[in-house]
């Protein structure tokens, strides 16, 4: 249900114009038509010096006939450290342009290590 709501607010597929759509934050229709799959993920991150992150979502793949597969559940967990305080919910929509990308999202677990730096203030950032 949330994936449908998110997609309808980011595209113009159904009605031509979504009343909630912000033009420079929309997904062009031609990109969606070529997509081999879509992944939707909602992530909650909270912390003070050490952070925890957890998220859930789903992946759908385009079938050979042009329709969409049943959704497959996905999840993410992570932790971090550094000069940080606060919490946030973030909704992600991933456009999967190849069958390999669909398989990567719907497949077995993965481990990633990395670094990040960011600054945010107020409701926008």
């Amino acid at each position: 249900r949330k994936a449908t709501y998110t997609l309808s607010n980011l595209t113009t597929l159904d009605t031509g114009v979504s009343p909630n759509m912000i033009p420079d934050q929309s997904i062009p229709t031609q990109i969606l038509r070529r997509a081999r799959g879509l992944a939707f993920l909602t992530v909650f991150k909270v912390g003070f010096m050490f952070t925890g992150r957890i998220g859930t979502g789903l992946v759908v793949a385009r079938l050979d006939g042009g329709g969409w597969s049943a959704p497959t559940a996905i999840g993410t967990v992570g932790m971090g450290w550094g000069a940080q305080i606060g919490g946030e919910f973030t909704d992600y929509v991933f456009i999967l342009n190849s069958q390999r990308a669909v398989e990567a999202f719907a497949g077995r677990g993965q481990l990633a290590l990395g670094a990040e730096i960011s600054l945010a203030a107020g409701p926008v950032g």
Side-chain angles (χ1 to χ4, degrees), residues 37-109:
L38 299 170
F40 301 90
L41 194 60
T42 299
V43 178
F44 175 64
K45 180 179 173 183
V46 65
F48 177 72
M49 298 301 286
F50 293 95
T51 61
R53 177 189 51 168
I54 186 165
T56 60
L58 58 91
V59 174
V60 292
R62 190 176 300 277
L63 301 173
D64 291 335
W68 294 96
S69 70
T72 299
I74 58 173
T76 183
V77 294
M79 54 189 238
W81 63 274
Q84 48 195 338
I85 185 171
E88 66 182 357
F89 273 100
T90 307
D91 289 322
Y92 296 96
V93 177
F94 298 93
I95 309 298
L96 309 175
N97 290 316
S98 68
Q99 188 59 36
R100 186 173 167 193
V102 173
E103 291 166 3
F105 266 85
R108 294 186 176 261

Side-chain angles (χ1 to χ4, degrees), residues 102-121:
V102 173
E103 291 166 3
F105 266 85
R108 294 186 176 261
Q110 301 174 10
L111 174 65
L113 299 173
E116 176 182 336
I117 185 168
S118 66
L119 176 65

